[in-house]
Amino acid sequence: MKLISLLLAGAAFAATAVTAQAEVRFGIMNEAYPPFFAKDASGTWNGWEIDLMNAVCAEMKEICSVVDVSWDGLIPALQTKKFDVIWSSMSITEERLKTIDFTDKYYNTPSKLIGPKDATPGATPEAVDGKTIGIQVSTVQSAYYAKHFAEKAEEQTYATLDEAFQDLSAGRIDYVFGDAIPLADFLKTDFGKDCCADMGDVAADPSVLGTGIGGGLRKEDTELKAKLNAAIAAVRASGKYDEITKAYFTFDVYGQ
C-alpha cells in the first residue's frame, strides 16, 4: 500500500510539474514608443509589441509580466536577471550579439530621417552635409551615424525620441534619425504635421542596422530561446500575427 501511495503521489507531482506555468518577465523601455508600446491612463502597457508578447506567452502556456527600465539600461538589467527577455524593439546586430543572444526576428523596418517641412528630401551623407542630426542614445541609428554620416554632420544625442522631436520642431536641430515606424507615427500627430516631413529612408546596412527586431536573451538561456522561437513561429503560422498587425498597421511589418 505504501508503494502504491508513493507511486500515486509521484504521478500527481509529475502532472503538476507538467501543467505548472512559469513566469517569464519581459523587459521593455520605460518610454512610450507608439504604436509598439505605451501606457494607458491606468498605467497598463498596451501596443503592438505587447499584444504580440501576450500571443507568444499564450502559445508557450506561460504567465508573463512586464518590467520597464530605461533604454540604455535594458541589456545591463537583462544580464543582472531583473527580467528574462528584452522585448523592446531591439535590433539584432553583430555588436549586441557579442554580449547577448536573440530570438528569431519578429519584425523588421527601415531607418529614416525626418526634418523641417521646407527641407529638401534626402537621406544620404551628401544630403546631411553641415546639418545636426538628433539620435536616441545606444541605438543602431547612432552606430549608423558614426559609420556613414559622422564626416558630414553633427550628432545630438537624446535619452528619448520625444526630446529629439521637441528640438526638431523648435529648430534646434535639422533632422531626427530613427526607426521608420515611430518617426512616421510622429508625423501623423498634429504636432508633427505642423513642423516636419519625411526626408526618406537611409541606405540599408545590416552590419550596423541589424537583421531585424528580436527578443534579447542571456546567452545561457537556450531553453527559453527555443520556446520563444517556436512560439513566434506558431503565432505567425496561425494567422494571429497578421490579426494583431492589422489592428495597428496597413502594411506588413515583418519585412524581408
Side-chain angles (χ1 to χ4, degrees):
M1 289 297 293
K2 283 186 177 180
L3 178 59
I4 293 171
S5 297
L6 287 171
L7 288 172
L8 289 172
F13 176 80
T16 302
V18 169
T19 59
Q21 291 180 308
E23 182 182 11
V24 182
R25 298 164 301 166
F26 284 67
I28 67 170
M29 176 174 60
N30 60 4
E31 169 201 355
Y33 193 63
F36 295 102
F37 47 85
K39 280 185 177 179
D40 62 18
S42 70
T44 302
W45 287 102
N46 293 287
W48 182 88
E49 218 157 348
I50 302 300
D51 288 354
L52 180 62
M53 177 197 78
N54 289 331
V56 165
C57 289
E59 190 65 40
M60 294 193 300
K61 297 180 173 58
E62 305 285 17
I63 298 169
C64 295
S65 60
V66 171
V67 178
D68 57 84
V69 300
S70 65
W71 169 258
D72 55 0
L74 282 168
I75 290 178
L78 174 71
Q79 292 172 317
T80 55
K81 300 189 176 182
K82 291 182 178 177
F83 49 76
D84 305 299
V85 52
I86 297 172
W87 199 260
S88 191
S89 291
M90 184 170 281
S91 298
I92 305 164
T93 67
E94 295 172 5
E95 188 63 28
R96 287 175 179 147
L97 283 167
K98 294 175 183 177
T99 306
I100 63 173
D101 201 359
F102 281 91
T103 66
D104 295 337
K105 75 166 186 177
Y106 55 82
Y107 84 86
N108 191 22
T109 52
S111 292
K112 72 164 59 266
L113 292 169
I114 61 172
K117 277 190 170 181
D118 58 357
T120 303
T124 63
E126 292 71 32
V128 302
D129 192 10
K131 305 297 184 180
T132 301
I133 304 174
I135 306 172
Q136 187 177 16
V137 295
S138 303
T139 59
V140 293
Q141 288 80 25
S142 187
Y144 189 98
Y145 163 84
K147 182 175 179 180
H148 295 281
F149 292 155
E151 292 184 5
K152 296 285 188 179
E154 295 294 323
E155 179 187 30
Q156 178 64 49
T157 59
Y158 297 89
T160 70
L161 272 178
D162 281 346
E163 294 170 337
F165 293 150
Q166 290 169 17
D167 273 4
L168 177 63
S169 63
R172 289 187 285 266
I173 58 175
D174 301 295
Y175 298 109
V176 171
F177 181 28
D179 181 83
I181 292 179
L183 267 59
D185 198 62
F186 167 72
L187 293 178
K188 294 174 186 175
T189 67
D190 292 339
F191 195 46
K193 286 176 186 176
D194 289 342
C195 73
C196 308
D198 187 341
M199 298 292 106
D201 296 348
V202 300
D205 184 349
S207 69
V208 288
L209 292 179
T211 55
I213 302 297
L217 297 156
R218 293 180 288 272
K219 287 183 177 289
E220 65 269 23
D221 288 345
T222 54
E223 183 178 347
L224 179 57
K225 177 181 177 178
K227 289 175 70 174
L228 284 164
N229 281 342
I232 291 167
V235 169
R236 282 187 51 76
S238 70
K240 185 66 176 178
Y241 183 96
D242 290 338
E243 178 187 326
I244 293 168
T245 299
K246 286 175 183 176
Y248 294 90
F249 306 107
T250 57
F251 55 92
D252 177 21
V253 296
Y254 191 73
Q256 299 300 314

